Each structure stands twice: as C-alpha cells, then as structure tokens.
Amino acid sequence: MRAERSHGYCVAIRTMPPCSISRCSHALVPSDDSTSGSPRWLGRSLSCVCIKRKGAYERIGNNLTPIQVERLQRLKHRMEVYFDASRHEHQEALRALWSATYPDQELIGLISDQWKQMGWQGRDPSTDFRGAGFISLENLLFFAKTFNASFQKLLNKQGGKRSAWEYPFAVAGVNITFMIMQMLDLQSFAILILEGLSAAKPRTFIRTVFIQMLSEDEWAFDLLYCVAFMVMDKQWLDRNASYMEFNEVLRCTRQQLERELLLDDVMRIEDMPSYSLLSQS
C-alpha cells in the first residue's frame, strides 16, 4: 500500500493487478497521466495526426471548422469557472441537483448534514469542487436529469456485490470530471485557438476524435461524463474494489474510455460500447 493525498479524496492506494477489460471493450490503451489532484494545463506542441478508421487512414487534423472553434471556446469557459458559493446561479445549481436527486425530500439548507448522504465529504458541498470547478456540478446535474435511472442506481449502490467501504458518490463524480479534463487536455489547445492560431491542430488521437464528436453534439463532454461514471462503477464491481482503491479504478476507467473512443465505428459518444450501460427510464 502506498499513501497519496489529493484534496482529501483518496488517501491510500493498494497496489493492484493490471486493469481488467470490461465486456464493453476489447483492449486498453496505457496512460501515464494521474487521475486525481489539482488541474494542470500543460501546453504542448501540436501536429497533424492520422488515425486508422473504417479500414483506411484518414487525415483529420486539418484546420478546425467555425463550429468546432465556437464549441471549444464554450467548453473551455465552462472548465475555467470555479465554484463560488456566493453566486446565486451556483446556489441554484446545487438546489437543482438536490431536487433531481431527492425529489421527495426537502433540502434544509446549502450547508447541511443532508449533503453527506449524496456522498459529499462534509456539510458544505462547495468545499469539494475545488478540484474540477463548477463544470463538475453541471456534469452531476446533467447525469441526474438525463439518465436518472442510472444516476439513482449508482447513487444508491444498487446491483452487484458492494464493498463495505464504498466510494462516495458525489466526490467520485468530481474526480471523474477532472479525469476527463486531463484525458482530453482541451484547455491548452483551446488557448491556442483563442490566441488566433486558427490553424492549430489536435495533437492526440483522443483529442481529435472528441473534437469531431463535439462538432456533432454540443453536449459531448457531458455525455462522456455519464458513460465514464458507468464504466467506473462497473470496473469497481468487476474488481471488487474498496475505497482506498478508487484512484486505481479511475485510472482503469480512463484507459477503457480511451480504447473505446478509438474504435473504428465510434463516431459519436452514443457509439461507444459502454454507452449501452446507461438507462433513461
């Protein structure tokens, strides 16, 4: 076992065997980046990439379209917004999350022991957003409203053999948002766009594929988040994991997402094999 600290989320990690491959995927892509901690936007040189898709190499690293630039800028702005407990719209988003999660239970206040039952670390959920910002709250709210059945299943830890020390649902959601932000590394790329380098090209296969998806669906990031949450929970059950193994499960989740995003027939988030884990009813 080795100790780690990441904003108070997981404080110890037990060394585990290599990531398992879910029935929803076929292989895994290795990744060296960590999946928890403070955001680090790493500026890197950009180059064209070629991806083998549908049996042929396609050059998809050409100049971005106006709609791709617009949606990248919008997503970049969302990623930069810190949660501010004094802002009315942020308070309302928290209340909306509570209502979507517990429609028959009245919220006493934005600081209350009630929040602990959702999986926040304390009475004030605003202290848990510092790792990923306001977008992590938006992601949870999107999940709750769009796929409420799946959201409730994970929240209530339904299905499968559960650990005596389960992952905290809401805090896990914040970590998943940050993991996806790291995996896509869109921030540094979007900065180049804003600086006027309209000919900038995605450096990585994953980023390139996602930008294509974003041009098809403005909510691609939020949909990917919902898929990621389901994949993480499935990995958790498949490995019979416990709380101190959360970071390792999150790493394996990222690897499975990367593999699925690069499958030949995946052109939208809905095409990912693990999208089938989600249920709206």
Side-chain angles (χ1 to χ4, degrees):
M1 183 178 293
R2 57 188 175 86
E4 282 191 9
R5 182 169 298 276
S6 175
H7 293 301
Y9 297 158
C10 299
V11 296
I13 305 299
R14 188 175 74 192
T15 303
M16 298 181 67
C19 302
S20 61
I21 301 175
S22 167
R23 289 190 298 273
C24 296
S25 187
H26 307 289
L28 297 175
V29 177
S31 172
D32 294 327
D33 292 343
S34 61
T35 54
S36 61
S38 300
R40 294 178 299 164
W41 305 120
L42 306 179
R44 302 185 177 100
S45 57
L46 303 172
S47 60
C48 292
V49 296
C50 293
I51 297 179
K52 188 176 183 180
R53 301 181 71 90
K54 295 186 179 299
Y57 283 95
E58 300 178 15
R59 192 177 182 85
I60 60 176
N62 295 327
N63 295 355
L64 299 184
T65 64
I67 191 170
Q68 288 173 332
V69 172
E70 177 187 348
R71 290 182 176 177
L72 269 174
Q73 290 174 336
R74 194 173 303 161
L75 183 55
K76 173 182 178 292
H77 173 72
R78 290 179 63 195
M79 291 178 176
E80 290 178 336
V81 177
Y82 290 97
F83 183 86
D84 184 349
S86 67
R87 292 180 60 174
H88 176 72
E89 59 268 34
H90 290 196
Q91 295 173 5
E92 289 304 304
L94 265 181
R95 291 190 179 95
L97 176 63
W98 180 269
S99 297
T101 306
Y102 304 109
D104 300 324
Q105 186 175 342
E106 184 179 357
L107 177 64
I108 297 175
L110 294 180
I111 299 179
S112 165
D113 284 331
Q114 288 177 293
W115 290 104
K116 296 179 182 179
Q117 70 188 75
M118 195 187 295
W120 301 103
Q121 295 186 103
R123 302 177 70 248
D124 183 1
S126 67
T127 60
D128 290 329
F129 290 117
R130 58 185 177 273
F134 183 62
I135 191 174
S136 59
L137 173 54
E138 291 181 314
N139 288 158
L140 279 168
L141 187 54
F142 180 90
F143 191 14
K145 289 187 172 183
T146 309
F147 302 101
N148 189 259
S150 295
F151 180 90
Q152 294 291 339
K153 180 180 178 180
L154 269 55
L155 170 72
N156 297 305
K157 303 296 190 296
Q158 297 171 348
K161 182 181 178 181
R162 291 290 173 176
S163 168
W165 197 8
E166 279 286 318
Y167 64 84
F169 175 79
V171 172
V174 174
N175 276 265
I176 290 170
T177 295
F178 178 59
M179 177 269 288
I180 297 173
M181 290 165 69
Q182 280 192 316
M183 179 180 73
L184 299 177
D185 191 23
L186 294 173
Q187 186 80 346
S188 58
F189 181 67
I191 288 174
L192 293 176
I193 298 298
L194 289 176
E195 289 177 348
L197 302 180
S198 59
K201 303 176 181 65
R203 189 189 70 88
T204 68
F205 288 1
I206 297 296
R207 185 192 293 163
T208 302
V209 171
F210 178 77
I211 290 174
Q212 292 292 109
M213 292 175 168
L214 190 62
S215 65
E216 297 295 327
D217 189 341
E218 186 175 3
W219 299 104
F221 186 92
D222 303 82
L223 286 171
L224 182 59
Y225 170 87
C226 298
V227 173
F229 219 138
M230 298 301 297
V231 170
M232 187 278 293
D233 188 74
K234 189 175 189 306
Q235 288 274 355
W236 182 272
L237 291 174
D238 288 349
R239 300 166 69 84
N240 193 26
S242 64
Y243 177 73
M244 286 192 285
E245 298 159 1
F246 178 78
N247 283 353
E248 179 67 15
V249 171
L250 199 59
R251 182 182 68 84
C252 294
T253 298
R254 170 172 172 167
Q255 290 178 338
Q256 180 162 331
L257 294 175
E258 290 174 334
R259 176 64 185 94
E260 292 192 19
L261 285 169
L262 293 181
L263 292 174
D264 287 349
D265 56 350
V266 172
M267 301 297 177
R268 308 171 304 151
I269 300 297
E270 292 89 338
D271 297 330
M272 296 176 67
S274 290
Y275 184 84
S276 63
L277 296 172
L278 288 164
S279 174
Q280 292 178 301
S281 59

